Amino acid sequence: MRKKGLLFLFIIFGYGLCAQSKVDSLVFYQLNEQNGLSDNLVNCFFQDSKGFMWIGTEDGLNRYDGSAFNVYKSKNKTATELADNDILSITEDRQHHLWIGTKNGLSQYDAATNSFHTWRTEDGNINNILKDILIDSTGTIWLATLNGLLKFNSKTNQFTSYLNNTIPAGYVYGRSNHINKILIDTKNRFWLCTYNGVWRFYPASAQFEQYIGKKDIPSGETFTNTIFEDAYGKLWLGLAADGVQLFDPETKTLKDELNGKVKGSNLNSITAIRDIQGHYLLNAGIFQFNPVARTSQPLVPQTPAVAEFTIRKAYTSKDNLLWWGTDKGLRIVDLNKRFFHNLILSSTPVTHQSISLLQKGNALYIGASGNDFLKLYDSTFRLQKEVLGNKKMPALLNIVREDDSNIWLCTEKGLVLLNEENSCTKTFRITNEPSPPTINFISNLFIDSRGNHWVFPWRSGIWQIDKNTGRFKKIFTGFLRENNETKKLLVAWAVEDATGNIWMADLDEGVIHYNPASGTFSKPTEKAFGKRYTLTSLLLNGDWVWGVITGKVFRIHIRTQQIEQWNIPDEFNTDVHGFCQDMIGNLWITTRKGLLSFNKQTHLFNRYTTNDGLMENTMTEALWPLQNGKIIYTAPTYLTIFDPAELLQFNTASPVLLTAVYSQNMSCYVQQKSNGGKFVDLDYTHNNFTFHWAVQNYNNPLLNQYYYKMERVDADWKYAGNKGIIQYAGLSPGKYIFRVRGAGSNGVINKQGDYVVVIIHSPFWKTAWFVIIIGCGVLTLLVMVIRYISQRNLRERILKLEKEQAIEKERNRISRDMHDSLGSGLTKIAILSEVVKKQLQEPEKAKQQLETIAESSRELVDNLQDIIWVLNPQNDTLESLAAYIREYALQFFEPFEITTRFYYPEKFPDIKLSDEIRRNTFLTVKEAFNNIGKHAWCNKVVIGIEPKSGAVIVTIQDDGKGFDASEVRQFGNGLLNMQHRLKQVGGECRICAEKGKGTHISIEIPSNTFV
């Protein structure tokens, strides 16, 4: 029969308290499929070097970081996937690779690359069901299977199989190879737990030796689940039938150190843990035992309720928590979390109001109602005396000491003064004016330093009582108007400061201040907190009065009435019902979400809930500090006692670790600097991020709290809830620092936390170097544009000047030509005309002169025609020049009966020529024609115009007598003028002549002179 445990478990200790008992809660909590676990059937655990918990189930491998589960599963069972989803064993090597034994092979997980690699043995004698995995000091991996031992060399990726062929008498063949557990102890002995008992394996010789068999086990049942070596070097076996047994390898014997108390077929694992007193304890199933004291006890009572779940595996994590793998998820047990001690008063409420307390030395008055109206208990909560009590007694609301012998009892039916020595009582009621029924419902009484007795009836204002006469006097009704009358105050508590001022806590209107010097009441917090808010109590500490209301802790300076306040974190914030101060100055606050502590120096809050051992989270009653430093919470059916010092010593900050960074739904490689700083370096396309981080506190991970801040984005820290995951979208290029913090279930925030620097590079067109280059380019372009415009303007001005100069030059040329050609010709005609006049008597001579005049006139007309042709802009093409030369040549050579031939291209290119080039070219050609007509005595003239690349060539060739250049007379200017004219316009005139072979003239007009 299997031993089973319940989710909410208690160990009961009797105290003989007349229907009362003390209950210490053993804290359990669970994680299952609803929390993200891949499967509720848990097979194994392992905590890696980074603190992550790995959980193997029958359907997937899980990594738990305190925030969320990461689930790994195989789809096709390939060599790059998890071997199988049924996980049986997990361990880690020195390189921080995880090794996973599955039901179908061995897998390695590399966290750096988030990748798997799988191997399977091909030995037909051994299957791939790997029940246990162990890595020895050399790094060799040993695997326990159902039919043999395997060795895996991770360097060569080779398996070696070892079969135990020894068959002791009376044993079934093969069961010795059914291996459940492997252990190499501190003496380097290699142990195997099998179906056929315990064997020792010798790796050097590959030999097997049986140490524990049928004859050594009382029941004869050899099925051995597990073996464990404790801190003292002792070996403990978990046997299917005989439970936990001490194994002595020297004598090869077993010893039942626990007298058969720890038994059960589910004892498949033994683990060690230290309790709150530091004792070293072993846990097997639901049992806990001390190997030194040889004592044991069940963690849970053996009741039918224990059938809630079946324990399949036990494991102790590095934080001394006990993990149970069950058939309904996993349970986490904190054996040391027994801070809250609960005294059960009754199964039904002992009062319909609130329980009241007053300490008397080491004893304690507890007030309720009816038969439990007032009782006195000693320091161990043993009843010493029933002071007052019967069925007709009203509810006792508060107990206030008058002197060493008398106490005031504030009840719902008036005030009672009790003499402790003789138990005599005297009752006082307000009867001196018409009042509502609640007028004698006395919430509290306060005695100031002047001996005044302040009385606070329910919703009836502020009163005083004269204890000698028993007469009541109303001191103050209230501030506010409600339903056409003054709203009556509802004071619950009062304190007096060093100056004699009275500070009161009102359940409707908060802080009420009374100045005895002026006899006035005021509300000093009205401006800060409003006219109405609930305040249950106040406490005085030096020059400050402290209070707690929903949402904040505050304090008021008794002289300046300066207010300081600290907000309760949103995740803790709810209605506040009471608070008190412990002996070291911390505030303890009851709320509907559990118990809070507030450190007045660090201003930090901690929270405690049922997961820490409280009876319930809804705490609506008061807290009472005791002289021994402990604090009592009073509920209608129970009391909870705790030691703040003991509780706070466990309030250390938990490690916070950034676990993953994703961008654009892809995992980012987080690089690490030599100083430990982490950073992610990405281009501008990665602007959406998801960050995962974890609080590595498994004490109650569902209550871990997470905070984050992205510098340059978030102005302050933000609360993420109980999951460490947050997303950012559309981040601009730049450098960011993402910081995380966290708090465990105790509420202590790890302010150091973790961080990662995120660098998003700008696109190249937004980088500084590109902007500089573009800027330089734009500047250069601007300079070039300005230079171009300047040069263009300069050129235009130069061109304008050149044009003006050309026009002026042309005018001068025209004037010169007119003067030289026409002027000289007309002068010649005028002179010849005068000569003719004188020779009229001589007809022959006159006739000769008239012919000369006629010839000169024709020359003048021709020259004038040439000037006009040159000046006409329509004649600025090469084709026009060629046509004009042709026309002139035909007219010129006709009288000489000289044959003229022209060699022109079929189509002239579109070449523009300036006036000066056309003029000088034509005058050169004309001079050549004149020389031919006067001196060549030729029969034929060939004229050619040939456009070539880079120039236009004009040729004139005759078949005349030619000449010898050396015989040309010194002062002949015709040939020199021809060459000079062409040179003026950048051209060249070449003349080649030989006597008897004619003359060849070549005129070259370069293309750089074209318009």
Side-chain angles (χ1 to χ4, degrees):
M1 177 178 177
R2 297 188 176 191
K3 307 292 183 181
K4 302 181 180 181
L6 185 64
L7 176 59
F8 299 102
L9 303 170
F10 304 95
I11 298 175
I12 308 298
F13 300 92
Y15 278 77
L17 292 180
C18 299
Q20 298 170 353
S21 60
K22 189 176 181 182
V23 178
D24 292 345
S25 298
L26 180 62
V27 180
F28 278 64
Y29 52 87
Q30 74 177 65
L31 297 170
N32 52 32
E33 293 176 7
Q34 293 180 350
N35 307 114
L37 187 68
S38 64
D39 185 55
N40 280 337
L41 296 173
V42 177
N43 293 328
C44 58
F45 298 96
F46 183 77
Q47 188 171 21
D48 66 19
S49 54
K50 290 185 177 180
F52 295 132
M53 287 297 301
W54 294 85
I55 301 103
T57 73
E58 289 195 2
D59 188 26
L61 175 67
N62 300 259
R63 190 197 76 178
Y64 187 59
D65 56 18
S67 171
F69 285 97
N70 279 5
V71 177
Y72 303 87
K73 287 188 178 184
S74 177
K75 293 183 178 179
N76 302 310
K77 300 181 182 180
T78 64
T80 56
E81 293 181 284
L82 194 60
D84 193 81
N85 291 328
D86 196 342
I87 312 300
L88 303 178
S89 52
I90 311 169
T91 192
E92 185 180 27
D93 63 22
R94 295 175 183 174
Q95 291 73 40
H96 308 300
H97 296 139
L98 208 67
W99 293 88
I100 304 105
T102 77
K103 214 166 187 178
N104 188 27
L106 174 68
S107 293
Q108 180 203 64
Y109 174 70
D110 187 343
T113 60
N114 192 32
S115 60
F116 286 91
H117 196 86
T118 288
W119 299 270
R120 297 179 177 88
T121 179
E122 297 180 357
D123 187 338
N125 296 317
I126 295 182
N127 60 34
N128 283 289
I129 301 175
L130 308 180
K131 291 206 64 177
D132 194 23
I133 182 169
L134 180 144
I135 302 178
D136 66 20
S137 58
T138 67
T140 300
I141 299 171
W142 297 91
L143 306 166
T145 79
L146 295 184
N147 51 4
L149 179 67
L150 283 176
K151 179 176 74 173
F152 181 74
N153 188 321
S154 60
K155 295 179 180 179
T156 63
N157 298 332
Q158 297 295 317
F159 287 94
T160 304
S161 58
Y162 300 89
L163 296 177
N164 184 359
N165 294 317
T166 304
I167 309 176
Y171 287 83
V172 178
Y173 176 78
R175 289 189 175 182
S176 298
N177 287 311
H178 182 129
I179 305 172
N180 296 315
K181 182 71 176 177
I182 308 172
L183 173 71
I184 298 178
D185 65 20
T186 52
K187 295 182 179 180
N188 207 33
R189 293 174 295 195
F190 198 122
W191 301 102
L192 303 176
C193 295
T194 75
Y195 202 106
N196 281 343
V198 179
W199 294 72
R200 182 176 176 183
F201 176 67
Y202 300 88
S205 61
Q207 297 297 312
F208 295 85
E209 180 183 1
Q210 189 176 37
Y211 267 59
I212 297 296
K214 285 184 178 182
K215 60 180 178 60
D216 308 302
I217 301 174
S219 67
E221 175 57 59
T222 59
F223 191 95
T224 308
N225 285 311
T226 189
I227 183 171
F228 179 81
E229 183 177 20
D230 67 21
Y232 310 103
K234 294 181 179 179
L235 296 177
W236 299 83
L237 300 180
L239 301 173
D242 294 77
V244 175
Q245 300 282 326
L246 179 64
F247 169 45
D248 185 353
E250 307 301 328
T251 61
K252 299 184 180 181
T253 59
L254 297 179
K255 188 175 182 182
D256 187 359
E257 291 279 303
L258 304 174
N259 299 319
K261 293 181 179 179
V262 183
K263 292 185 178 182
S265 60
N266 68 328
L267 296 180
N268 52 16
S269 55
I270 302 173
T271 186
I273 199 168
R274 290 192 180 275
D275 68 10
I276 195 169
Q277 288 82 28
H279 298 146
Y280 182 82
L281 304 175
L282 298 181
N283 287 271
I286 63 170
F287 293 96
Q288 176 177 285
F289 56 97
N290 188 321
V292 177
R294 301 180 183 179
T295 59
S296 68
Q297 65 180 22
L299 289 174
V300 295
Q302 301 301 303
T303 66
V306 177
E308 175 66 18
F309 57 79
T310 300
I311 300 173
R312 297 159 61 95
K313 199 73 172 182
Y315 183 84
T316 303
S317 56
K318 298 172 185 177
D319 50 2
N320 205 44
L321 295 176
L322 181 62
W323 296 68
W324 280 351
T326 78
D327 59 341
K328 294 184 179 180
L330 62 92
R331 265 64 171 175
I332 306 173
V333 188
D334 189 349
L335 298 180
N336 297 328
K337 218 172 193 179
R338 299 183 187 181
F339 307 121
F340 297 101
H341 308 288
N342 302 303
L343 180 66
I344 305 299
L345 299 175
S346 172
S347 59
T348 59
V350 295
T351 177
H352 55 277
Q353 298 295 332
S354 296
I355 291 178
S356 56
L357 271 75
L358 178 68
Q359 199 159 7
K360 180 182 181 180
N362 293 326
L364 187 69
Y365 283 114
I366 297 180
S369 65
N371 291 329
D372 297 307
F373 180 77
L374 184 63
K375 295 181 179 181
L376 184 65
Y377 294 88
D378 65 13
S379 58
T380 63
F381 290 94
R382 295 181 182 274
L383 181 63
Q384 286 188 327
K385 182 181 180 181
E386 292 188 8
V387 182
L388 295 172
N390 59 64
K391 293 181 180 180
K392 297 181 179 180
M393 293 298 290
L396 179 55
L397 306 177
N398 253 308
I399 310 171
V400 180
R401 179 160 295 282
E402 170 68 29
D403 52 35
D404 292 341
S405 302
N406 297 282
I407 57 176
W408 289 94
L409 307 179
C410 303
T411 79
E412 60 183 349
K413 292 185 178 181
L415 277 174
V416 177
L417 182 62
L418 170 69
N419 186 296
E420 296 175 277
E421 295 177 356
N422 56 27
S423 297
C424 291
T425 63
K426 187 176 182 180
T427 303
F428 303 90
R429 291 186 177 90
I430 301 173
T431 60
N432 54 331
E433 68 175 42
S435 300
T438 59
I439 188 68
N440 286 300
F441 189 104
I442 310 300
S443 301
N444 207 346
L445 178 142
F446 174 70
I447 306 172
D448 66 21
S449 60
R450 292 175 293 276
N452 297 317
H453 289 58
W454 298 81
V455 181
F456 308 118
W458 183 264
R459 296 193 182 280
S460 298
I462 299 171
W463 295 65
Q464 287 184 358
I465 184 174
D466 185 330
K467 72 171 184 176
N468 296 318
T469 65
R471 293 185 63 84
F472 289 89
K473 177 183 179 182
K474 179 180 283 188
I475 305 300
F476 187 70
T477 300
F479 299 92
L480 303 178
R481 297 290 296 176
E482 192 176 80
N483 298 325
N484 296 320
E485 63 180 5
T486 301
K487 176 186 175 298
K488 297 178 178 64
L489 292 175
L490 178 54
V491 177
W493 200 265
V495 295
E496 182 180 11
D497 65 28
T499 65
N501 295 319
I502 309 295
W503 300 80
M504 306 173 192
D506 188 271
L507 295 177
D508 285 339
E509 300 182 43
V511 177
I512 309 296
H513 176 262
Y514 173 68
N515 186 335
S518 63
T520 58
F521 291 86
S522 62
K523 298 170 68 175
T525 63
E526 185 175 39
K527 186 176 181 180
F529 304 145
K531 292 183 178 181
R532 303 187 68 159
Y533 61 91
T534 299
L535 180 65
T536 59
S537 61
L538 291 167
L539 67 86
L540 184 69
N541 191 331
D543 290 336
W544 297 89
V545 174
W546 289 79
V548 182
I549 60 177
T550 300
K552 55 178 63 69
V553 173
F554 68 91
R555 68 178 184 177
I556 311 172
H557 197 275
I558 61 175
R559 293 180 178 85
T560 65
Q561 295 194 1
Q562 171 194 352
I563 299 175
E564 296 180 359
Q565 55 184 305
W566 298 269
N567 292 331
I568 298 174
D570 291 340
E571 59 273 24
F572 301 162
N573 190 17
T574 185
D575 294 341
V576 171
H577 293 278
F579 79 100
C580 70
Q581 179 174 281
D582 64 23
M583 297 185 70
I584 55 178
N586 298 300
L587 300 185
W588 294 85
I589 307 162
T590 57
T591 77
R592 289 188 177 275
K593 289 185 178 180
L595 178 68
L596 300 183
S597 68
F598 175 72
N599 187 309
K600 292 193 294 186
Q601 280 70 45
T602 64
H603 306 145
L604 295 178
F605 292 86
N606 299 324
R607 181 173 64 168
Y608 307 90
T609 67
T610 54
N611 289 298
D612 299 291
L614 289 173
M615 292 286 286
E616 57 185 337
N617 288 331
T618 302
M619 303 181 72
T620 59
E621 303 298 336
L623 292 169
W624 305 85
L626 302 180
Q627 294 174 3
N628 61 5
K630 295 182 179 181
I631 294 176
I632 295 181
Y633 169 72
T634 56
T637 59
Y638 67 90
L639 305 179
T640 296
I641 306 101
F642 64 93
D643 185 342
E646 181 184 73
L647 196 58
L648 291 173
Q649 73 175 334
F650 288 89
N651 282 341
T652 57
S654 303
V656 178
L657 181 65
L658 194 70
T659 57
V661 179
Y662 294 89
S663 179
Q664 314 302 120
N665 298 320
M666 298 291 290
S667 178
C668 297
Y669 175 58
V670 180
Q671 305 178 61
Q672 194 154 2
K673 298 180 180 178
S674 57
N675 62 0
K678 294 181 284 190
F679 68 98
V680 174
D681 200 328
L682 299 168
D683 62 31
Y684 69 94
T685 62
H686 294 78
N687 59 356
N688 297 325
F689 287 87
T690 302
F691 298 93
H692 295 256
W693 72 104
V695 176
Q696 289 191 321
N697 183 330
Y698 303 110
N699 197 285
N700 186 7
L702 297 179
L703 290 182
N704 290 345
Q705 307 297 322
Y706 295 85
Y707 306 86
Y708 66 95
K709 179 182 179 182
M710 178 75 83
E711 294 184 4
R712 292 186 55 204
V713 176
D714 302 320
D716 204 352
W717 287 92
K718 294 188 175 182
Y719 176 56
N722 64 349
K723 293 286 185 182
I725 179 171
I726 197 66
Q727 294 180 336
Y728 285 86
L731 292 181
S732 302
K735 181 179 179 181
Y736 301 85
I737 301 178
F738 180 70
R739 299 186 182 276
V740 295
R741 290 177 178 175
S745 57
N746 58 8
V748 180
I749 298 175
N750 184 333
K751 290 193 173 182
Q752 181 177 356
D754 200 0
Y755 75 96
V756 62
V757 177
V758 178
I759 301 171
I760 306 175
H761 292 281
S762 298
F764 72 89
W765 59 85
K766 289 186 179 180
T767 57
W769 62 266
F770 184 81
V771 172
I772 291 172
I773 290 174
I774 293 300
C776 291
V778 171
L779 183 61
T780 302
L781 181 61
L782 184 61
V783 169
M784 291 177 65
V785 169
I786 293 173
R787 184 171 180 271
Y788 169 76
I789 293 173
S790 299
Q791 289 181 343
R792 186 188 65 182
N793 292 338
L794 180 60
R795 284 197 302 270
E796 288 178 353
R797 291 178 60 190
I798 292 173
L799 288 173
K800 184 177 180 182
L801 291 173
E802 288 178 347
K803 188 174 182 180
E804 290 175 353
Q805 290 175 356
I807 292 172
E808 186 64 28
K809 183 178 178 181
E810 189 65 18
R811 287 174 178 173
N812 292 335
R813 183 186 61 75
I814 294 171
S815 176
R816 186 172 58 251
D817 289 347
M818 296 288 285
H819 178 273
D820 292 346
S821 299
L822 299 180
S824 61
L826 291 173
T827 301
K828 181 179 178 181
I829 292 172
I831 294 173
L832 290 176
S833 298
E834 291 298 327
V835 173
V836 170
K837 286 181 183 180
K838 293 178 181 181
Q839 292 179 348
L840 287 174
Q841 302 300 325
E842 299 178 15
E844 290 298 329
K845 290 183 180 181
K847 181 181 179 182
Q848 185 178 358
Q849 292 298 331
L850 288 173
E851 289 177 358
T852 302
I853 290 172
E855 184 178 354
S856 297
S857 298
R858 285 193 296 271
E859 289 179 1
L860 286 176
V861 171
D862 290 341
N863 290 337
L864 182 60
Q865 185 177 359
D866 293 343
I867 292 171
I868 293 172
W869 180 82
V870 169
L871 292 176
N872 190 348
Q874 294 182 353
N875 301 323
D876 61 354
T877 63
L878 176 61
E879 187 174 7
S880 294
L881 176 61
Y884 193 69
I885 291 173
R886 177 186 178 88
E887 181 182 353
Y888 182 82
L890 292 174
Q891 291 178 359
F892 181 82
F893 290 116
E894 185 178 1
F896 298 98
E897 296 183 351
I898 296 174
T899 303
T900 306
R901 297 284 187 269
F902 298 93
Y903 293 96
Y904 287 0
E906 291 184 4
K907 184 176 182 181
F908 282 93
D910 186 16
I911 296 175
K912 303 282 188 180
L913 302 174
S914 66
D915 296 350
E916 188 176 6
I917 290 175
R918 288 185 286 119
R919 174 182 172 276
N920 287 9
T921 301
F922 179 72
L923 291 179
T924 301
V925 172
K926 185 177 180 181
E927 183 67 28
F929 290 173
N930 286 335
N931 288 338
I932 292 172
K934 291 179 181 179
H935 308 292
W937 297 95
C938 64
N939 295 318
K940 183 174 66 172
V941 174
V942 178
I943 302 167
I945 297 179
E946 182 181 4
K948 292 186 176 180
S949 58
V952 172
I953 308 298
V954 180
T955 57
I956 304 169
Q957 186 172 354
D958 63 64
D959 58 355
K961 64 180 181 177
F963 65 91
D964 186 352
S966 61
E967 295 179 356
V968 177
R969 61 190 178 90
Q970 183 177 359
F971 300 102
N973 293 324
L975 299 179
L976 293 177
N977 286 340
M978 292 169 63
Q979 293 175 333
H980 180 67
R981 284 193 181 99
L982 265 299
K983 189 174 183 181
Q984 279 183 332
V985 295
E988 184 180 2
C989 179
R990 292 184 292 273
I991 303 172
C992 298
E994 189 178 349
K995 283 186 176 182
K997 294 186 177 180
T999 303
H1000 182 275
I1001 299 172
S1002 175
I1003 300 170
E1004 182 177 346
I1005 307 171
S1007 60
N1008 58 8
T1009 63
F1010 300 163
V1011 176

